[in-house]
Amino acid sequence: MIVKDSEETSHIPKGLVLLMATVCGFTVANVYLNQTLLVSMSSTFHVSAASIGIIATLSQIGYALGNLLLVPLGDIFERKKLILVLLFAICIVLTLNALSINTTWMMVTSLALGIVTVVPQIIVPLAANIASDNNRGKVLGNVAIGLVCGILGARLVSGFIDVHFGWRVVYWTAAVATLLIIFLVYAYFPKSKGTNTTNYKYLLMSLGPLFIKERILQKACLSQGMMFASFSAFWTTLVFLLHTQPYSYGSDMAGIIGLVGIAGAFATPIIGRLIDIKGAKFATLLCTSISLLAFIGLVWRGYWLPGLILGALLITIGTQANQVACQFSIFQLGEEKRSRLNGLYMVSTFLGGSLGSYAGLLAWSKWQWHGVCAIAILMITISFCSSIQKKIPKRTIGNLMNKKGSNV
C-alpha cells in the first residue's frame, strides 16, 4: 500500500495507529535508557555521578542533531525505507553501547544513538498526513501514547534490568527488541511518497528561512523546548533524589515511578480531542499550567513519596500533551513540509531537553532538590509566556488606526 502525502483518508486502521505508537515507543526509549543507569555506569567507569551525567545530555543533543539532519529527509524519500535504514543503524549503535570500555567510548556511542533514534519523528508526520483534518488531533494523541510509554517505560525496564543483570544487558535487550521492530515495520507499514523533489542540500538550506518565516513554529519550538527542559530536569535528577534520604532507593524505584507516569500517556488522546474541539492554544495553556502547578507542589512535597509520584504524573501529562498541541499547530502550516517542520520543532525540543538535563544536574549539585524545582519553574514560566504572547498583524493595526481616524 502506498499513501501519497497529498491524500487525505477519513479513517486510519486502529491496528496501524497502534503499531505506529509501538514503534515510536520502542525507538524513542533508546534516548532515555541511560538516565536510570548513570549511577551504575559511574561505578563501572570509576567517575563521579555528576561527570557521568554528560552521557544523558549527549544522547539528547544527538537526538536534536538527528532531527535537524535526518528527519527532513522524510519530505523527499520514501519514509518506510528510511525508517528501516535507521532501525538497522540503531541495532549497530546499541551493540557498541553494550561493549563500551570507558566513558569516552560511551559518550561517542550515546551521541550516535541519539542521532539515529529519530524514527518517531518520521512516523509522526506520516500519521498526520494520512489522517483527515477532523481527526488529526486524535490520531496524533494516540501515537503520542507510544512516545510517552517509551520515554517512561525505558526507565522502568532499564532500572529493573540494571539492578538484576547490570547496565550492559539493558543495551543488549534493546538491540534484540529493535530487530523485532524491523520485521514489524517491514511487514505492516504503508509506503509513503513525499511531494518535495528538492535535493538534500537545498532541503537543509530551506530550514533557516522556514523557521524565520513561520511565527507559529517559533512559538511552538520555544513552548515545548522549555516544557521538555523542565521534564528532563525532573527525570534526570530523580535517580539521585531517590538515592538520598529519606528514600535510599535503587535505580528500579525510578523505573517504578516512571511506570506511574505512564498513566499520563493516556491523557494525550484526551488532549488531542480537546484540540480538535477547542483549539491548540487553549490546550497549550492548560498543559503548561498543569506542569507549573506540579513543580510548585514538588518544592514542598518532593521528599514525600506520594507527592513525588503525583508530581511525576502531572509533569508527564503536561509535557507530553503540550507536545501534541504544538505539533498540531505546526502541521497546519502545510503537508508538503511537515517533516521539516517537525524536524525543526524536535530540534528545539531536545535542545531544551539537553539544557534541562544539564541545568538539572547543576542545580542538584549546588542546591539539591529545591534547586531543581526552581529551575524547572523558571523554564515553564517562559513556556507559558510564549504561549500567551500574541502579535497583532499589520493589517489589524491598520484597521484600528482607520477606526480611530473615523472617530476623530
Side-chain angles (χ1 to χ4, degrees), residues 102-152:
N102 53 44
T103 53
T104 302
W105 181 316
M106 196 69 196
M107 287 165 63
V108 172
T109 54
S110 294
L111 179 67
L113 184 61
I115 291 173
V116 295
T117 308
V118 291
V119 170
Q121 305 315 323
I122 299 171
I123 293 175
V124 170
L126 174 61
N129 285 354
I130 63 178
S132 63
D133 288 338
N134 61 353
N135 75 343
R136 185 167 292 123
K138 178 182 177 181
V139 169
L140 291 175
N142 286 328
V143 173
I145 290 178
L147 286 168
V148 183
C149 290
I151 292 171
L152 298 179

Side-chain angles (χ1 to χ4, degrees), residues 256-332:
I256 292 172
I257 293 178
L259 180 62
V260 175
I262 287 176
F266 295 92
T268 53
I270 298 173
I271 293 294
R273 296 185 185 95
L274 185 64
I275 293 167
D276 290 330
I277 298 170
K278 302 280 287 185
K281 183 174 181 179
F282 175 85
T284 297
L285 292 174
L286 176 63
C287 294
T288 51
S289 299
I290 290 172
S291 289
L292 184 61
L293 290 173
F295 273 109
I296 290 173
L298 285 172
V299 172
W300 291 280
R301 296 298 182 182
Y303 289 96
W304 180 51
L305 188 58
L308 185 64
I309 292 172
L310 178 60
L313 176 64
L314 294 177
I315 290 165
T316 303
I317 291 174
T319 304
Q320 300 305 320
N322 188 64
Q323 177 165 314
V324 175
C326 290
Q327 282 179 320
F328 181 91
S329 297
I330 64 173
F331 287 158
Q332 302 302 102

Side-chain angles (χ1 to χ4, degrees), residues 2 6 36 50 63 93 111 144 164-165 185 187 233 300 375 405:
I2 298 178
S6 59
T36 52
Y63 198 76
V93 180
L111 179 67
H164 295 282
F165 305 102
V185 170
W300 291 280
I375 198 72

Side-chain angles (χ1 to χ4, degrees), residues 21-207:
T22 301
V23 176
C24 286
F26 271 94
T27 50
V28 79
N30 294 319
V31 182
Y32 301 93
L33 291 175
N34 55 36
Q35 290 189 357
T36 52
L37 308 178
L38 295 177
V39 174
S40 296
M41 287 178 182
S42 65
S43 298
T44 299
F45 298 128
H46 307 291
V47 295
S48 68
S51 299
I52 203 71
I54 189 65
I55 289 175
T57 301
L58 286 171
S59 296
Q60 292 179 328
I61 290 175
Y63 198 76
L65 288 173
N67 274 278
L68 181 64
L69 299 175
L70 300 180
V71 170
L73 292 173
D75 282 339
I76 57 176
F77 290 129
E78 197 278 301
R79 288 191 176 103
K80 179 177 178 179
K81 186 179 294 184
L82 180 59
I83 289 168
L84 287 170
V85 170
L86 289 173
L87 287 171
F88 276 111
I90 289 169
C91 275
I92 294 170
V93 180
L94 283 168
T95 302
L96 292 173
N97 271 267
L99 296 172
S100 295
I101 58 175
N102 53 44
T103 53
T104 302
W105 181 316
M106 196 69 196
M107 287 165 63
V108 172
T109 54
S110 294
L111 179 67
L113 184 61
I115 291 173
V116 295
T117 308
V118 291
V119 170
Q121 305 315 323
I122 299 171
I123 293 175
V124 170
L126 174 61
N129 285 354
I130 63 178
S132 63
D133 288 338
N134 61 353
N135 75 343
R136 185 167 292 123
K138 178 182 177 181
V139 169
L140 291 175
N142 286 328
V143 173
I145 290 178
L147 286 168
V148 183
C149 290
I151 292 171
L152 298 179
R155 297 179 174 90
L156 173 66
V157 175
S158 64
F160 176 83
I161 295 175
D162 175 39
V163 168
H164 295 282
F165 305 102
W167 64 267
R168 295 184 190 275
V169 179
V170 173
Y171 289 102
W172 289 119
T173 305
V176 173
T178 304
L179 285 175
L180 295 175
I181 289 295
I182 288 172
F183 287 115
L184 290 173
V185 170
Y186 180 79
Y188 297 109
F189 260 41
K191 292 184 178 180
S192 172
K193 296 293 289 183
T195 58
N196 198 311
T197 58
T198 305
N199 63 39
Y200 182 62
K201 175 183 175 182
Y202 291 103
L203 191 75
L204 290 182
M205 290 177 63
S206 70
L207 295 178

